[in-house]
Amino acid sequence: MAAIRFSDLRHMSDLAAAVNTTVDDVARFSHPEEQAQFYTLIRLPKKGKRRKGEFRTVYKVAQGLRVVHKQIAEAIAACTTFGEHVQGFVSHRSIVTNAAVHLGQRTLLHADIHHFFESVTVAQVERAFQSLGCVPAVASELARICTLDGRLPEGSSASPILANLVVGHLDNDLKTLAQAQGCRYTRYADDITFSGDAVPESEQVAAILSQHGFALRGGACRLQHKGRAQYVTGLTIADARAPRVPRVAKRRLRLELYYAARFGLASHMEHAHVPTTPSVENKRLGGWISYMSSVEGKTSTQWLYDRWLKIRDQ
């Protein structure tokens, strides 16, 4: 669908052909009484001591609909450009580029949008498709295909880019607020960051979110000042040269590798009461090292990778 212009889709048959499916499947994917069969709900525990007992609701999308969502997302990406303040779910942008925007700043203000995806309505998604050139009937059908119970489902490959489209006006208002304060503004999905010598008041951010149908998680923003710990999308910006993985995460990984090397991976897992299999643990620790490498480069993390390979293969 990436080569198809949304304005070319005049009828349901055009839409079905564009996403390589049938008109009947399009109807099933979009019908409220049929949709539930294409989604499996998964509850993931949220990280952090303050959020113990809380869960994030995501959905696993069935294969046929998942392919359609992916085609829709690729088509939107092919015809849409997002400003530099939009850092999440945009090609060549990441948590690293997001954190880099705020390096060396005196004050950080963090805000989280409460229930970000679930707050985006089918009506907002429909208007987003119309802004891409869809006729009303096709925009309505696409909006229903991409939503569940009238909201964007987290876990769908189409939800992130659709959310970015929907909150365009919100981004503009928050960017204007930042410019009035002479500071920087970025948003990575639901994670909002302002930085500079002066930053907005929490009440100002909450008021703008409310105007656009969103709410501030926890009811307030969080301040971080230079000279103390400053983090952006999970990375420390204490080093003015580049974002880094926090020291506490590095210490924890080194400790796990030490015990796994000394006692063996299976024994370490048993002692630590980790309810995983060796194959899962392989992916977890290997993925952890790959993540650090993506942030700080392969050169600085190669020794960790070499050590991990030795443990894994022993």
Side-chain angles (χ1 to χ4, degrees):
M1 189 173 176
I4 301 295
R5 292 185 304 177
F6 285 100
S7 57
D8 289 339
L9 308 178
R10 315 303 295 181
H11 306 284
M12 292 306 105
S13 57
D14 298 330
L15 173 56
V19 296
N20 300 312
T21 190
T22 66
V23 173
D24 286 344
D25 277 342
V26 167
R28 291 169 62 231
F29 292 152
S30 64
H31 197 285
E33 295 181 3
E34 299 257 8
Q35 286 183 316
Q37 66 181 298
F38 302 111
Y39 294 89
T40 301
L41 187 149
I42 302 172
R43 298 178 75 219
L44 301 176
K46 293 184 177 180
K47 297 179 181 180
K49 294 181 180 178
R50 295 181 179 179
R51 309 186 75 178
K52 189 175 181 179
E54 296 182 20
F55 292 86
R56 182 164 60 97
T57 299
V58 299
Y59 291 91
K60 181 179 180 180
V61 185
Q63 174 65 17
L65 182 56
R66 183 166 69 246
V67 171
V68 170
H69 283 171
K70 184 178 180 180
Q71 290 174 316
I72 292 171
E74 290 174 350
I76 295 172
C79 66
T80 307
T81 301
F82 294 101
E84 289 297 323
H85 55 280
V86 182
Q87 287 288 318
F89 315 115
V90 179
S91 181
H92 305 301
R93 300 178 196 174
S94 64
I95 60 171
V96 180
T97 61
N98 183 50
V101 172
H102 303 283
L103 288 171
Q105 297 303 296
R106 180 179 178 182
T107 304
L108 298 179
L109 182 78
H110 296 283
D112 295 323
I113 302 175
H114 185 62
H115 291 161
F116 179 55
F117 289 106
E118 301 100 307
S119 297
V120 177
T121 68
V122 65
Q124 290 173 310
V125 175
E126 185 174 340
R127 288 194 292 271
F129 278 118
Q130 289 183 12
S131 74
L132 296 175
C134 287
V135 298
V138 171
S140 177
E141 195 76 4
L142 279 167
R144 291 196 301 273
I145 288 173
C146 295
T147 55
L148 176 65
D149 297 328
R151 305 282 175 167
L152 277 183
E154 186 171 357
S156 161
S157 56
S159 290
I161 196 165
L162 283 169
N164 280 344
L165 274 179
V166 166
V167 302
H169 295 299
L170 168 64
D171 280 330
N172 289 337
D173 286 349
L174 291 174
K175 186 178 178 182
T176 298
L177 177 63
Q179 291 170 338
Q181 296 285 337
C183 67
R184 306 176 182 190
Y185 162 71
T186 63
R187 180 182 57 78
Y188 191 100
D190 59 348
D191 191 330
I192 291 169
T193 306
F194 295 88
S195 68
D197 291 337
V199 293
E201 297 291 333
S202 182
E203 293 77 13
Q204 293 175 293
V205 178
I208 291 175
L209 288 175
S210 180
Q211 290 170 12
H212 292 272
F214 295 94
L216 191 62
R217 184 170 68 83
C221 300
R222 308 180 308 282
L223 281 171
Q224 294 177 337
H225 299 283
K226 195 170 185 179
R228 294 193 171 188
Q230 288 183 313
Y231 300 97
V232 177
T233 41
L235 302 177
T236 175
I237 57 171
D239 186 338
R241 294 170 297 178
R244 304 290 183 188
V245 175
R247 289 180 180 177
V248 64
K250 293 178 180 178
R251 284 197 297 267
R252 181 180 172 188
L253 175 60
R254 287 197 296 267
L255 190 62
E256 287 222 29
L257 291 177
Y258 169 77
Y259 284 125
R262 182 174 179 180
F263 301 110
L265 184 58
S267 177
H268 164 59
M269 289 165 53
E270 182 179 356
H271 184 268
H273 304 292
V274 179
T276 59
T277 64
S279 62
V280 171
E281 190 66 4
N282 286 347
K283 293 179 181 178
R284 187 180 74 87
L285 290 174
W288 200 349
I289 295 170
S290 295
Y291 162 71
M292 289 190 179
S293 177
S294 70
V295 174
E296 300 190 2
K298 291 183 178 180
T299 302
S300 61
T301 57
Q302 186 62 45
W303 70 276
L304 285 171
Y305 186 68
D306 292 341
R307 189 172 185 181
W308 165 238
L309 288 181
K310 187 175 180 179
I311 294 169
R312 188 193 66 182
D313 297 336
Q314 68 184 10

